[in-house]
């Protein structure tokens, strides 16, 4: 049977453009659908459709997402056209949201210089750049080069954009992961000077830093402060303390720590008891591991995988005695 596409006399790029225009005229039903339409238009080079879709999605109640500009790839061929498109959007949520999503996309592509350029355009055009606009850059930069992340903070201040708690948390966590306590203290001092209120991730970073410095007592004091002030703790905050105690050889204290905080949050109990039991088994501290598993069983916590196998082995061995 003859392929009907082969009978068409106009060029294939024109065919793609025609199909894209037809596709982009369909009314979006979800934010994901909006992204699909924008990416189809962007890949085909139809930036008038990109502009229309970016404007209309807000009127239809669909926010931009981290997938909105997926048509921009690492070679950045479409970046200049995209910037020209955003320039002519009406000021407001649609324009700011588009710029923010573009920055997030460039940051994910590890194109920090280009992401900062877009942020600078936002500032110069008074589009509403704020800490949220810069945070994707800080997120990716701080994972590789904390000093560069600090320079991004300095750039923000130079452009009269105030960092928020999330901005500082990225830098603080990076310093604490590297065990650079003095640098972390300077970040905390700056947060205090600027009246930044700590959140759960701030404390998580500080506990991690204390544990990295083998000051588990300091980490425990921070945890106690969180409890006293009613600040919810991340699971990872407890895991930092568990790992530090085990690394220092304080096996009994690690078990005691988990028991002290048990009974407040079943999901947290499941995480902490499970992590502790697995780590104790890997360290061949079987007596402590048995105690932890018995606690899990008595508290009705789910025990699966290798931990369940360990219990079966130990129960079997007990039955043969």
């Amino acid at each position: 049977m003859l392929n009907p596409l082969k009978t068409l006399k106009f060029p294939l790029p024109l065919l793609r453009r025609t199909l894209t225009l037809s596709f982009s005229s369909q009314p979006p039903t979800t934010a994901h659908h909006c992204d699909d339409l924008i990416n189809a238009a962007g890949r085909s080079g139809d930036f008038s459709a990109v502009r229309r879709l970016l404007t209309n999605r807000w009127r239809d109640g669909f926010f931009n997402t981290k997938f909105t500009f997926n048509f921009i790839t690492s070679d950045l061929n479409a970046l200049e056209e995209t910037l020209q498109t955003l320039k002519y959007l009406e000021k407001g949520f649609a324009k700011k949201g588009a710029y923010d999503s573009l920055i997030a996309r460039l940051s994910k592509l590890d194109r920090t210089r280009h992401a900062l350029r877009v942020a600078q355009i936002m500032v110069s055009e008074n589009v509403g750049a704020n800490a949220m606009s810069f945070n994707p850059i800080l997120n990716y930069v701080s994972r590789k080069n904390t000093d560069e992340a600090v320079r991004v903070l300095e750039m923000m201040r130079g452009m009269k954009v105030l960092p928020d708690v999330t901005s500082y948390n990225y830098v603080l966590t990076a310093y604490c992961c590297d065990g650079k306590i003095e640098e972390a203290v300077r970040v905390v001092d700056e947060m205090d000077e600027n009246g930044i209120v700590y959140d759960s991730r701030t404390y998580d970073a500080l506990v991690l830093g204390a544990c990295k410095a083998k000051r588990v007592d300091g980490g425990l004091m921070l945890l106690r402060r969180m409890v006293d002030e009613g600040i919810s703790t991340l699971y990872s905050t407890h895991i930092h303390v568990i790992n530090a105690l085990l690394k220092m050889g304080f096996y009994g204290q690690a078990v005691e720590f988990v028991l002290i905080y048990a009974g407040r949050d079943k999901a947290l109990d499941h995480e902490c008891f499970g992590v502790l039991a697995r780590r104790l088994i890997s360290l061949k501290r079987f007596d402590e591991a048995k105690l932890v598993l018995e606690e899990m069983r008595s508290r009705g916590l789910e025990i699966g995988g290798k931990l369940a196998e360990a219990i079966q082995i130990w129960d079997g061995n007990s039955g043969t005695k």
Side-chain angles (χ1 to χ4, degrees):
M1 182 177 178
L2 182 63
N3 187 336
L5 290 178
K6 292 182 178 181
T7 65
L8 296 173
K9 301 301 183 183
F10 49 87
L12 188 58
L14 182 58
L15 172 63
R16 288 199 187 101
R17 180 177 174 81
T18 303
L19 291 174
T20 301
L21 285 171
S22 174
F23 180 55
S24 63
S25 66
Q26 300 175 25
T29 56
T30 64
H32 179 71
H33 187 194
C34 289
D35 290 339
D36 286 343
L37 295 173
I38 290 171
N39 284 304
R43 282 191 291 269
S44 72
D46 185 2
F47 285 91
S48 62
V50 171
R51 178 182 174 183
R52 183 175 65 255
L53 289 162
L54 286 170
T55 299
N56 290 343
R57 73 182 297 159
W58 284 86
R59 295 174 183 170
D60 295 333
F62 301 122
F63 290 91
N64 291 304
T65 76
K66 62 181 179 181
F67 306 110
T68 299
F69 291 102
N70 272 5
F71 66 86
I72 295 179
T73 58
S74 56
D75 59 12
L76 301 183
N77 285 334
L79 180 57
E80 294 306 320
E81 286 276 10
T82 302
L83 287 172
Q84 285 299 311
T85 300
L86 301 193
K87 182 178 180 180
Y88 293 105
L89 292 175
E90 291 184 10
K91 279 190 177 180
F93 289 114
K95 191 166 189 174
K96 173 179 165 44
Y99 273 112
D100 286 347
S101 293
L102 180 57
I103 291 171
R105 176 60 177 167
L106 292 169
S107 299
K108 187 175 181 179
L109 291 171
D110 198 20
R111 298 287 185 162
T112 302
R113 180 170 61 85
H114 295 88
L116 285 170
R117 177 191 166 203
V118 176
Q120 289 170 326
I121 292 173
M122 289 186 72
V123 173
S124 64
E125 294 189 359
N126 194 26
V127 178
N130 56 14
M132 186 182 299
S133 307
F134 284 82
N135 284 343
I137 303 174
L138 286 167
N139 181 18
Y140 286 96
V141 168
S142 62
R143 299 178 190 182
K144 301 187 306 176
N145 189 326
T146 314
D147 292 336
E148 186 176 351
V150 172
R151 285 193 289 273
V152 173
L153 284 179
E154 293 171 353
M155 289 181 64
M156 292 173 65
R157 288 189 289 268
M159 289 185 273
K160 309 301 182 185
V161 176
L162 298 178
D164 62 10
V165 65
T166 301
S167 311
Y168 283 110
N169 283 347
Y170 286 132
V171 179
L172 182 63
T173 300
Y175 274 139
C176 290
C177 282
D178 292 340
K180 297 180 178 179
I181 305 305
E182 291 183 7
E183 291 86 344
V185 169
R186 286 199 292 270
V187 174
V188 172
D189 288 342
E190 186 175 322
M191 293 176 71
D192 291 338
E193 291 171 5
N194 293 323
I196 301 296
V197 178
Y198 302 172
D199 64 8
S200 297
R201 292 195 177 278
T202 310
Y203 280 103
D204 183 73
L206 294 174
V207 171
L208 173 62
C211 291
K212 285 276 187 177
K214 297 183 179 180
R215 290 294 308 274
V216 184
D217 55 335
L220 291 171
M221 288 176 62
L222 287 165
L223 264 174
R224 172 53 59 187
R225 178 176 170 182
M226 294 180 74
V227 172
D228 292 343
E229 295 182 3
I231 300 172
S232 60
T233 59
L234 304 177
Y235 293 174
S236 56
T237 309
H238 292 260
I239 303 305
H240 297 327
V241 175
I242 293 169
N243 286 335
L245 288 170
L246 293 177
K247 190 173 182 179
M248 296 168 68
F250 298 150
Y251 308 112
Q253 290 89 334
V255 175
E256 183 179 356
F257 166 74
V258 173
L259 289 173
I260 288 172
Y261 282 92
R264 308 179 190 194
D265 181 334
K266 192 165 186 177
L268 175 62
D269 289 349
H270 181 269
E271 183 73 14
C272 290
F273 278 105
V275 168
L276 179 58
R278 286 189 292 272
R279 291 280 284 114
L280 287 169
I281 290 173
S282 68
L283 292 168
K284 302 188 185 306
R285 302 291 304 190
F286 299 122
D287 288 341
E288 290 91 346
K290 289 178 183 178
L291 173 62
V292 172
L293 288 171
E294 284 300 323
E295 278 290 334
M296 291 183 71
R297 191 151 55 179
S298 68
R299 294 171 183 272
L301 299 176
E302 182 181 350
I303 302 174
K306 292 185 178 180
L307 293 182
E309 293 176 8
I311 283 185
Q312 289 177 353
I313 293 172
W314 288 331
D315 286 348
N317 290 339
S318 299
T320 58
K321 291 182 181 181

Tab-separated table of all heavy atoms in Angstrom, residues 134 149-163 168 190 194:
chain	number	residue	atom	x	y	z
A	134	PHE	N	16.855	32.350	41.922
A	134	PHE	CA	18.263	31.968	42.006
A	134	PHE	C	18.484	30.606	42.659
A	134	PHE	O	19.546	30.009	42.493
A	134	PHE	CB	19.046	33.022	42.792
A	134	PHE	CG	19.326	34.283	42.036
A	134	PHE	CD1	18.372	35.284	41.944
A	134	PHE	CD2	20.551	34.482	41.406
A	134	PHE	CE1	18.622	36.458	41.249
A	134	PHE	CE2	20.822	35.648	40.709
A	134	PHE	CZ	19.854	36.639	40.629
A	149	ALA	N	29.112	28.784	44.911
A	149	ALA	CA	27.767	29.045	45.427
A	149	ALA	C	27.758	30.314	46.279
A	149	ALA	O	26.806	31.105	46.225
A	149	ALA	CB	27.284	27.855	46.246
A	150	VAL	N	28.821	30.512	47.054
A	150	VAL	CA	28.930	31.741	47.854
A	150	VAL	C	28.996	32.960	46.941
A	150	VAL	O	28.407	34.009	47.230
A	150	VAL	CB	30.173	31.680	48.769
A	150	VAL	CG1	30.410	33.022	49.453
A	150	VAL	CG2	30.000	30.587	49.822
A	151	ARG	N	29.687	32.834	45.816
A	151	ARG	CA	29.751	33.950	44.861
A	151	ARG	C	28.368	34.255	44.271
A	151	ARG	O	28.039	35.412	44.006
A	151	ARG	CB	30.760	33.637	43.752
A	151	ARG	CG	32.210	33.754	44.195
A	151	ARG	CD	33.155	33.743	43.021
A	151	ARG	NE	33.249	32.434	42.398
A	151	ARG	CZ	34.096	31.483	42.795
A	151	ARG	NH1	34.921	31.704	43.823
A	151	ARG	NH2	34.136	30.313	42.177
A	152	VAL	N	27.558	33.208	44.084
A	152	VAL	CA	26.192	33.430	43.610
A	152	VAL	C	25.402	34.225	44.653
A	152	VAL	O	24.650	35.141	44.311
A	152	VAL	CB	25.487	32.097	43.286
A	152	VAL	CG1	24.013	32.323	42.956
A	152	VAL	CG2	26.175	31.388	42.121
A	153	LEU	N	25.595	33.890	45.925
A	153	LEU	CA	24.945	34.660	46.991
A	153	LEU	C	25.367	36.129	46.938
A	153	LEU	O	24.545	37.037	47.108
A	153	LEU	CB	25.292	34.075	48.362
A	153	LEU	CG	24.590	32.790	48.802
A	153	LEU	CD1	25.100	32.364	50.172
A	153	LEU	CD2	23.081	32.968	48.843
A	154	GLU	N	26.653	36.344	46.700
A	154	GLU	CA	27.162	37.719	46.620
A	154	GLU	C	26.558	38.446	45.429
A	154	GLU	O	26.225	39.637	45.518
A	154	GLU	CB	28.690	37.696	46.528
A	154	GLU	CG	29.372	37.193	47.798
A	154	GLU	CD	30.858	36.982	47.618
A	154	GLU	OE1	31.339	37.095	46.464
A	154	GLU	OE2	31.559	36.712	48.622
A	155	MET	N	26.406	37.732	44.303
A	155	MET	CA	25.778	38.329	43.125
A	155	MET	C	24.337	38.714	43.424
A	155	MET	O	23.863	39.778	43.009
A	155	MET	CB	25.833	37.354	41.948
A	155	MET	CG	27.204	37.144	41.361
A	155	MET	SD	27.168	36.003	39.957
A	155	MET	CE	26.162	36.929	38.788
A	156	MET	N	23.636	37.857	44.146
A	156	MET	CA	22.247	38.158	44.507
A	156	MET	C	22.177	39.454	45.307
A	156	MET	O	21.356	40.339	45.007
A	156	MET	CB	21.649	37.002	45.315
A	156	MET	CG	21.451	35.720	44.538
A	156	MET	SD	20.946	34.330	45.590
A	156	MET	CE	19.328	34.865	46.159
A	157	ARG	N	23.028	39.562	46.304
A	157	ARG	CA	23.013	40.768	47.129
A	157	ARG	C	23.366	41.996	46.294
A	157	ARG	O	22.803	43.071	46.489
A	157	ARG	CB	23.979	40.610	48.304
A	157	ARG	CG	23.473	39.627	49.364
A	157	ARG	CD	24.338	39.675	50.600
A	157	ARG	NE	25.648	39.084	50.356
A	157	ARG	CZ	25.947	37.812	50.570
A	157	ARG	NH1	25.029	36.992	51.043
A	157	ARG	NH2	27.160	37.358	50.330
A	158	GLY	N	24.327	41.823	45.348
A	158	GLY	CA	24.698	42.936	44.474
A	158	GLY	C	23.560	43.391	43.593
A	158	GLY	O	23.495	44.563	43.196
A	159	MET	N	22.652	42.481	43.266
A	159	MET	CA	21.497	42.821	42.431
A	159	MET	C	20.260	43.128	43.271
A	159	MET	O	19.144	43.172	42.761
A	159	MET	CB	21.202	41.668	41.460
A	159	MET	CG	22.243	41.527	40.369
A	159	MET	SD	21.822	40.248	39.140
A	159	MET	CE	22.509	38.781	39.934
A	160	LYS	N	20.476	43.321	44.584
A	160	LYS	CA	19.390	43.669	45.511
A	160	LYS	C	18.336	42.564	45.619
A	160	LYS	O	17.154	42.834	45.859
A	160	LYS	CB	18.705	44.976	45.092
A	160	LYS	CG	19.655	46.137	44.840
A	160	LYS	CD	20.491	46.466	46.062
A	160	LYS	CE	21.396	47.670	45.781
A	160	LYS	NZ	22.314	47.947	46.929
A	161	VAL	N	18.774	41.310	45.448
A	161	VAL	CA	17.894	40.159	45.633
A	161	VAL	C	18.297	39.487	46.941
A	161	VAL	O	19.432	39.010	47.072
A	161	VAL	CB	18.001	39.158	44.468
A	161	VAL	CG1	17.135	37.922	44.744
A	161	VAL	CG2	17.586	39.813	43.159
A	162	LEU	N	17.416	39.468	47.909
A	162	LEU	CA	17.751	38.940	49.228
A	162	LEU	C	17.652	37.413	49.248
A	162	LEU	O	16.606	36.854	48.900
A	162	LEU	CB	16.807	39.520	50.283
A	162	LEU	CG	16.854	41.038	50.465
A	162	LEU	CD1	15.820	41.468	51.504
A	162	LEU	CD2	18.248	41.486	50.886
A	163	PRO	N	18.733	36.722	49.647
A	163	PRO	CA	18.659	35.262	49.799
A	163	PRO	C	17.640	34.900	50.870
A	163	PRO	O	17.468	35.630	51.847
A	163	PRO	CB	20.086	34.885	50.235
A	163	PRO	CG	20.950	36.044	49.838
A	163	PRO	CD	20.081	37.248	49.958
A	168	TYR	N	20.378	29.972	51.700
A	168	TYR	CA	21.446	29.720	52.671
A	168	TYR	C	21.596	28.229	52.967
A	168	TYR	O	22.713	27.744	53.176
A	168	TYR	CB	21.160	30.486	53.962
A	168	TYR	CG	21.454	31.961	53.891
A	168	TYR	CD1	20.426	32.902	53.907
A	168	TYR	CD2	22.761	32.426	53.795
A	168	TYR	CE1	20.693	34.264	53.840
A	168	TYR	CE2	23.045	33.788	53.730
A	168	TYR	CZ	22.004	34.694	53.749
A	168	TYR	OH	22.273	36.039	53.680
A	190	GLU	N	25.713	34.984	59.183
A	190	GLU	CA	25.080	35.855	58.192
A	190	GLU	C	23.565	35.681	58.212
A	190	GLU	O	22.813	36.661	58.076
A	190	GLU	CB	25.630	35.553	56.800
A	190	GLU	CG	25.121	36.507	55.733
A	190	GLU	CD	25.780	36.272	54.380
A	190	GLU	OE1	26.998	35.985	54.348
A	190	GLU	OE2	25.069	36.371	53.359
A	194	ASN	N	20.836	38.676	59.097
A	194	ASN	CA	19.773	39.046	58.167
A	194	ASN	C	18.384	38.614	58.640
A	194	ASN	O	17.400	38.732	57.894
A	194	ASN	CB	20.046	38.453	56.782
A	194	ASN	CG	21.265	39.076	56.120
A	194	ASN	OD1	21.501	40.271	56.259
A	194	ASN	ND2	22.040	38.289	55.411
